[in-house]
Amino acid sequence: MIQSQDIFTISSQKQFDKLALKVFRFQYQNNKVYREFCDFLKTNPQEVKTIQQIPFLPIQFFKSHQIISSSETIQETFTSSGTTGMITSKHLVTDISLYEQSFRNAFSEFYGNIEDYVVLALLPSYLERDGSSLIYMVNDLIERSNNEHSGFCLNNYDELISKLVSLDNSGENVLLIGVTYALLDLIEKQNFQLKNTIIMETGGMKGKRKEIIREELHATLSKGFGVQNIHSEYGMTELLSQAYSFGNGIFECPNWMQILIRDTEDALSYVDSGKTGGINVIDLANINSCSFIATQDLGKKHPNNSFEVLGRFDNSDIRGCNLLVL
C-alpha cells in the first residue's frame, strides 16, 4: 500500500524512481482505462524497469473516459474551463487530502509559510464557474494565510488597486495570483511601483484578449506593476501538483513531480535536455487517478530538471489554464 508520506517525503532521484515504478504497477492493476492503454502498447509491467519505459496516458482521455485508480467514493470532481460546446476534462478525486498536501507542501517549499503573506486572487473567469481546481487551491491558501486582507476580487478593480497600494506601502508581503487577461486589465487602469508584492500569473486569456508570447507578456506586466520578475504557476485540471516559476518562465517541480520531454515525431522516445518536445508529467500525488500524463504542451528541460513551456501542439484546443500560445 502506498502512503501519502511516501509521496511527500521523497528526497532523491532514486526514491522518486522507485516510487514511480510502484505507482505505475498499482495504476496498471487498478485503472481500467490506463491498463487498456498500456496493453494496447503491448507494455508488460514486469519489464518496465525505468520511468522512461512507463507509458504516458494522453491527456485527451480525461475528456472521454473516467480516469480513476480507486474504488473509494469521489470527493471532488475538477473540470477544465472551455468555450461553449467544448468538451471539458474531468478529474475525479477520491482523496482530496492528497491535493491539499500537494499544494500546501509545494507552496511551503517554494515560498515559505503561507501566514507570512496577504493572498489576493484576481481570477474572475474561474470564479464564474464550478469545478476549478485552481479556485480550490487559492481558496485554501487565502483561508490559511489567516489575514483579514486576503481574499478574492471579481471585477472590483478600484477596490483592489486601493488595497494593493496600501498593503504594499505598509510593508506587507503580498501575493497577487491572477489570470493573465485580468492582470493586464488591472495595469491598464493603474500603473504600480510595488516593492513587497509577488505577481503570479496563472496563464489564460480566456478569449478576452489575443494570445501573446511569454516574453512580451512578462515585460508588459513587469513594467505595469513595477516589479522585476513575474512569477508563474504550471498546473492543470488533470494533475494534483504544480510547478512554479520565479521569473523568466523557468519552472521547478516539487520533489514528487517531474517532467520528461518526448520526441514530437516518436511519442515513445525522449529528447535530450535543451531540445524542444512534448511535455510528459509524472505527478505521484495523482495516485488515485493517473500519475503519468502526456500533455499537449511543448517545452524543453534543463540539466537541473527545471523546464520551460514553449507553446502547444497545433492540433490541440487551447487550454484555459496556464499556457501562452506562441
Side-chain angles (χ1 to χ4, degrees), residues 58-309:
I59 200 166
Q60 302 95 308
F61 276 63
F62 282 83
K63 293 184 176 183
S64 54
H65 297 77
Q66 288 198 339
I67 311 301
I68 192 163
S69 302
S70 172
S71 59
E72 298 297 317
T73 302
I74 295 166
Q75 296 179 353
E76 293 282 344
T77 299
F78 292 131
T79 58
S80 61
S81 56
T83 57
T84 303
M86 183 185 292
I87 300 172
T88 57
S89 294
K90 287 187 177 181
H91 187 181
L92 308 177
V93 181
T94 58
D95 186 355
I96 196 64
S97 72
L98 286 170
Y99 184 40
E100 293 169 347
Q101 288 180 78
S102 180
F103 66 68
R104 288 172 183 173
N105 289 346
F107 186 90
S108 177
E109 177 183 335
F110 289 109
Y111 291 97
N113 190 339
I114 186 61
E115 292 190 0
D116 293 336
Y117 294 88
V118 176
V119 181
L120 302 177
L122 184 58
L123 302 165
S125 48
Y126 291 95
L127 280 173
E128 292 161 359
R129 69 177 185 85
D130 294 327
S132 166
S133 57
L134 178 62
I135 291 296
Y136 189 100
M137 177 182 78
V138 173
N139 184 64
D140 185 83
L141 294 177
I142 286 171
E143 289 182 356
R144 292 178 59 251
S145 72
N146 199 27
N147 191 299
E148 62 178 340
H149 299 297
S150 294
F152 287 98
C153 308
L154 192 52
N155 295 308
N156 48 339
Y157 285 2
D158 291 338
E159 181 183 334
L160 174 58
I161 289 168
S162 177
K163 178 181 280 191
L164 197 51
V165 171
S166 175
L167 289 169
D168 189 84
N169 286 340
S170 70
E172 291 271 14
N173 295 318
V174 180
L175 172 62
L176 174 60
I177 303 176
V179 65
T180 303
Y181 79 84
L183 292 175
L184 290 170
D185 288 347
L186 186 63
I187 59 174
E188 284 183 356
K189 291 183 69 72
Q190 170 92 17
N191 274 351
F192 299 86
Q193 287 298 321
L194 302 173
K195 300 179 181 62
N196 301 296
T197 299
I198 293 170
I199 306 298
M200 182 185 293
E201 57 98 1
T202 67
M205 291 299 192
K206 305 296 184 185
K208 307 279 188 180
R209 288 172 176 259
K210 181 183 177 182
E211 299 284 347
I212 57 177
I213 62 171
R214 176 186 53 77
E215 289 84 357
E216 182 183 348
L217 169 68
H218 282 205
T220 301
L221 291 176
S222 293
K223 183 178 179 182
F225 285 106
V227 298
Q228 187 169 358
N229 293 310
I230 300 298
H231 294 223
S232 305
E233 178 250 3
Y234 179 80
M236 54 192 71
T237 300
E238 300 84 357
L239 301 177
L240 290 185
S241 299
Q242 302 82 25
Y244 290 100
S245 168
F246 293 161
N248 301 316
I250 307 297
F251 289 92
E252 295 185 35
C253 296
N255 289 341
W256 54 93
M257 176 184 181
Q258 284 191 17
I259 300 296
L260 299 176
I261 304 296
R262 68 182 185 272
D263 192 325
T264 55
E265 301 299 324
D266 178 6
L268 300 181
S269 64
Y270 295 94
V271 299
D272 296 332
S273 292
K275 294 187 176 180
T276 300
I279 294 178
N280 284 3
V281 179
I282 302 176
D283 176 13
L284 299 183
N286 213 12
I287 186 170
N288 294 322
S289 177
C290 183
S291 292
F292 311 98
I293 297 175
T295 77
Q296 284 292 323
D297 303 336
L298 288 167
K300 62 181 178 181
K301 192 172 179 179
H302 299 286
N304 65 351
N305 278 337
S306 64
F307 68 99
E308 295 179 63
V309 182

